[in-house]
Amino acid sequence: MATASLVQLVVGCFLLFGGCASLPDVVQEHENRPPQAVVFENARGTVPAGKSEAILQSLERSDGESDILQKHLAHEQAINADSPLVLGNRLTLLQDGPATYQAMFAAMRAAKDHIHLETYIFADDDIGRQFADLLLEKQAAGVQVNLIYDSVGCLNTPREFFARLSKGGVQVLEFNPVNPLAGNKRAWLLNNRDHRKLLVVDGRTAFIGGINISTAYSSGSSILLSGKQAPNTAGWRDTHLQIEGPVVAEFQKLFLETWRRQKGPTLAQRDHFPKLERQGDSIVRAIGSASADPHSLIYLTLLSAIAHAEHRVYLTIAYFVPDPQLLKALTDAAQRGVDVKMILPSHTDSWAVFHAGRSHYASLLRAGVRIYERRGAVMHAKTATIDGVWSTVGSTNLDWRSFLHNDEINAAILGLDFSRQMEAVFAQDLAESNPIDLERWEQRSPLLKLKELAARLAEYWL
């Protein structure tokens, strides 16, 4: 999320003179469509209708929330009709940088055919160099490595860093270069960024979530509880997901589509889509969004899930700059009795986003939404779990930038077992967070209110 202030200024000026788009009332648009049959896929392709119905019945019996599950499935299917719900996956929930990097390194060391890496930040620091060294090692061993990095996210990374990778045989693609002369006949789209964090190894294992490649994430958040953190510094609290099973092919397609749209060089012939067998019991949908899409499918899916929630909505969000539809979905849910809780940062790397989000606290609190701010660590996770049956992990923040201007990637997961894991992690974060009380909030200083007002005026551009 952090970018150079000069680039932010240029982007702001571009938008100021180019006009501001708005998010259409897309949830209502999908509400008016006829119901969509839920279609599952597994390792062998589309599951016949009869077996799909049996799967639904099995889920309903095990979850004990048949009506809620059916409703979430139906509404999600209406939005994501072209993206399959895939059976037979194994999911590993990874908390913070150390555990995530360990799992990613293990998967890359075991790679035999190819490694596809797409990231917003690839820093030239200790963690970045560990990644680079391993990628070069695997490339030298005959594993084809293909890398997409975002030009703005990597503004502070020297060109020589990527030149070293290219010289070692890694295919390197810069997403929407800041330098218009480096675009290889691509349109100069400075404001459209690749915010995805995706790793695909051998077409069999995928990683997605909120963690960039940077030493900033290397300490994690638990070190803060041990008292060993250096003064005036904070670890980063983030969530990533390791995925094994048939749905990995859908994440692979998203990587290859970005490579194609960005006019990357022809890729070496590799086994990008190996035969994938069942690895577990999780039902997953891969959802990608791109700035060129008419709507963000991730935004629509989350908005719909909140709009149809019946019991609880638990959100953990790094950058919260909501549009009017999201605000309405959250307040409407709280006012109809849904337990809506949000864990947001107590401090962040973007003061403008931080204060723009806080400018909405009062109206949310008055509606019954409960807001908490995470202590001690920089909250960078982007997760949601709703009604104990629907969850998502990915790169998407709840802000205008994610909804309109960024390429993002998420996994939507249906089922009780994974939702229980997500709710357990949410409870851990809640224990490390301070509740925001409406009465005390309304007594905050005039200076804070002034900062919020200034940030609110520019929230579309943040």
Side-chain angles (χ1 to χ4, degrees), residues 280-297:
D281 298 321
S282 294
I283 302 173
V284 184
R285 191 191 306 271
I287 311 177
S289 66
S291 58
D293 296 340
H295 309 308
S296 165
L297 290 179

Side-chain angles (χ1 to χ4, degrees), residues 114-166:
H114 65 273
I115 296 172
H116 288 167
L117 178 61
E118 183 175 359
T119 186
Y120 180 64
I121 295 173
F122 199 149
D124 182 15
D125 56 19
D126 180 60
I127 290 296
R129 287 188 286 274
Q130 287 185 51
F131 267 86
D133 290 346
L134 181 54
L135 294 177
L136 287 168
E137 177 186 324
K138 297 306 294 187
Q139 181 68 46
V143 174
Q144 180 57 51
V145 179
N146 302 313
L147 166 67
I148 302 172
Y149 73 91
D150 185 77
S151 185
V152 170
C154 294
L155 272 177
N156 294 324
T157 304
R159 307 292 296 183
E160 294 77 15
F161 180 87
F162 296 110
R164 174 175 174 249
L165 290 168
S166 295

Side-chain angles (χ1 to χ4, degrees), residues 299-364:
Y299 168 74
L300 297 186
T301 303
L302 180 59
L303 202 62
S304 176
I306 295 170
H308 297 100
E310 298 190 12
H311 296 305
R312 54 195 180 274
V313 173
Y314 296 160
L315 305 174
T316 306
I317 299 298
Y319 304 106
F320 178 66
V321 187
D323 74 297
Q325 286 189 85
L326 179 58
L327 284 171
K328 186 176 188 303
L330 291 169
T331 56
D332 284 355
Q335 289 173 341
R336 66 176 180 267
V338 175
D339 179 19
V340 182
K341 291 190 178 84
M342 301 173 59
I343 300 177
L344 303 173
S346 61
H347 55 284
T348 181
D349 61 338
S350 175
W351 77 267
V353 170
F354 179 65
H355 289 294
R358 280 181 149 201
S359 74
H360 296 281
Y361 279 15
S363 62
L364 289 165

Side-chain angles (χ1 to χ4, degrees), residues 68-196:
I68 296 175
L69 180 62
Q70 281 276 17
K71 287 177 182 177
H72 279 290
L73 278 169
H75 291 298
E76 183 177 309
Q77 188 69 18
I79 293 169
N80 295 283
D82 295 329
S83 177
L85 273 170
V86 184
L87 306 168
N89 304 285
R90 178 168 61 220
L91 304 180
T92 305
L93 197 57
L94 301 167
Q95 293 189 61
D96 298 341
T100 299
Y101 293 148
Q102 182 179 5
M104 293 171 77
F105 285 143
M108 289 189 291
R109 289 190 185 102
K112 294 179 172 57
D113 186 74
H114 65 273
I115 296 172
H116 288 167
L117 178 61
E118 183 175 359
T119 186
Y120 180 64
I121 295 173
F122 199 149
D124 182 15
D125 56 19
D126 180 60
I127 290 296
R129 287 188 286 274
Q130 287 185 51
F131 267 86
D133 290 346
L134 181 54
L135 294 177
L136 287 168
E137 177 186 324
K138 297 306 294 187
Q139 181 68 46
V143 174
Q144 180 57 51
V145 179
N146 302 313
L147 166 67
I148 302 172
Y149 73 91
D150 185 77
S151 185
V152 170
C154 294
L155 272 177
N156 294 324
T157 304
R159 307 292 296 183
E160 294 77 15
F161 180 87
F162 296 110
R164 174 175 174 249
L165 290 168
S166 295
K167 186 177 180 180
V170 175
Q171 290 269 42
V172 178
L173 180 61
E174 182 180 7
F175 186 97
N176 285 353
V178 171
N179 179 1
L181 301 179
N184 188 27
K185 298 182 179 180
R186 284 174 277 171
W188 191 52
L189 299 171
L190 179 61
N191 193 38
N192 298 337
R193 308 309 335 153
D194 186 354
H195 194 244
R196 295 176 179 180

Side-chain angles (χ1 to χ4, degrees), residues 38-42 45-47 52 55-56 59 73 85 87 283:
V38 177
V39 177
F40 294 103
E41 288 193 6
N42 59 20
T46 302
V47 175
S52 290
I55 292 167
L56 282 172
L59 285 170
L73 278 169
L85 273 170
L87 306 168
I283 302 173

Side-chain angles (χ1 to χ4, degrees), residues 3-13 152 155 178 190-191 193:
T3 58
S5 59
L6 177 60
V7 171
Q8 288 181 323
L9 177 62
V10 172
V11 170
C13 292
V152 170
L155 272 177
V178 171
L190 179 61
N191 193 38
R193 308 309 335 153

